[in-house]
Amino acid sequence: MDVDIGNALASVASPGVSRDSLERLDEQVADAHERIEDGMANGEHGYEALNLPERTDPDEIRTAVEPVADAEALITVGIGGSALGAATITDALESDTETVYLDNVDPAWVTAELEALPLENTAVNVVSRSGTTAETLANFLVVREAFEDAGVDWTERTIVTTGDSGPLRDLSERHDLPSLKVPDGVPGRFSALSAVGMVAAAVCGHDLEALLSGAAAEADTLTGSLFECPAYAYGATSYALDARGAGMNAMVPYAESLETYSEWFAQLWAESLGKDDLGQTPLRALGVTDQHSQLQLYRAGPRDKLVTFVTPGESEDRSIPDTDVDDLAYLGDSTLGELLSAEFEATEASLAAAGRPNVRVELDGVDEYELGGLLYGMEAACVLAGELYGVNTFEQPAVEWAKKATRGLLGGGEFEEADAVAEKTELRVER
């Protein structure tokens, strides 16, 4: 990926960061890069994620999915990082295999998803490092029941991706299920380029080597200067703008296929950097859809946002038919791709003209190679930003608090977090 931070400079945007400030910040980036390199070399928790392009074995993944390689549909049962990376990849790339991600426990939605699938030709990938994630295990039990009710042997259709021990590991051994390991030292939201994210890609027939090659190429750009590394340029600029008041980061890809990527980015940015009263709030949007619903706020609302555009380069195009309506005749000489490009350029220019900071992330297209580079690049940007904030990028204590409260409410043990639920302050306004 390439990154253009010109529209985030103080000379054109407010808040903005001056070139002199970036030069000073670059000294901190050099120190942060040294820390990141050490963490990668020593296989430290979290930093190990940046080694995945070399660690991940695509042949091992393909071997595990071989028994269900003919599946018409794939259900991935997971939540958060156990689902979003895989969903980003498969939603971005075309395949004849239908993919469903059970990452919510809304009963009506889960039931409708299962009823719509040809279960006799559907594969299941259940993903949880611990094997104890309540939402994942609950949904998996529901999926098993649905298969049994349909007369389908779920053990012939299931792959397990989990840690070295736990209920799912025991289940896979008891039923001799194909299984893959969640890599050590890699938090879930950083695991897209491991078996966690790539089992679904393999079942869908995507090029795993190209995904990893794109990520490896991005890894090769990591240097000690934000002026030489696109990922660091993005991470450092986002951090600098946040310090100057842009506490929100709207991620706006201009490709329908990258809509799920915005969800993945939101988890990566929020869960990694939202600590100690620090961190940008990620916003999810889609161009051109949301330039008609959100641009008004971005251009004329509070000056507290960075807008990040992701442009996919050239892709398959379609001509706009001629029309005899005079006011629309100009469209007949164009294509949908040209219209999309014009919409992006106009939106970017609109923000720049209003002095609102925005950054452009450029891809050559939306394919496995470019997608691998984008995922890796944003992970590296996030790790760098965490170093600059001085937070532990790889922990998520607030999430763990809620997990304990949920388990306690369901009778899964004694947790003081569950007791706090009863202490909620109420001020009801009833009909």
Side-chain angles (χ1 to χ4, degrees), residues 179-199:
S179 64
L180 289 158
K181 182 183 175 184
V182 176
D184 293 332
V186 179
R189 59 191 175 277
F190 288 90
S191 65
L193 296 166
S194 73
V196 174
M198 294 175 66
V199 164

Side-chain angles (χ1 to χ4, degrees), residues 28-45:
Q28 298 177 51
V29 170
D31 293 338
H33 174 64
E34 185 174 342
R35 173 71 185 100
I36 293 168
E37 279 196 317
D38 288 344
M40 292 171 64
N42 296 323
E44 294 182 36
H45 179 75

Side-chain angles (χ1 to χ4, degrees), residues 102-175:
L102 295 187
D103 58 353
N104 197 327
V105 292
D106 182 313
W109 175 75
V110 171
T111 300
E113 291 290 333
L114 293 175
E115 289 178 347
L117 291 171
L119 296 183
E120 68 279 4
N121 292 313
T122 296
V124 179
N125 179 32
V126 54
V127 188
S128 170
R129 179 193 300 276
S130 67
T132 61
T133 306
E135 300 90 344
T136 300
L137 270 293
N139 273 338
F140 182 51
L141 292 173
V142 170
V143 169
R144 280 175 45 175
E145 181 181 61
F147 271 71
E148 291 167 353
D149 290 347
V152 180
D153 186 350
W154 64 270
T155 67
E156 297 294 325
R157 312 297 299 168
T158 300
I159 304 164
V160 173
T161 307
T162 190
D164 286 328
S165 61
L168 284 181
R169 178 58 61 192
D170 294 342
L171 180 80
S172 68
E173 293 174 354
R174 184 164 63 251
H175 294 281

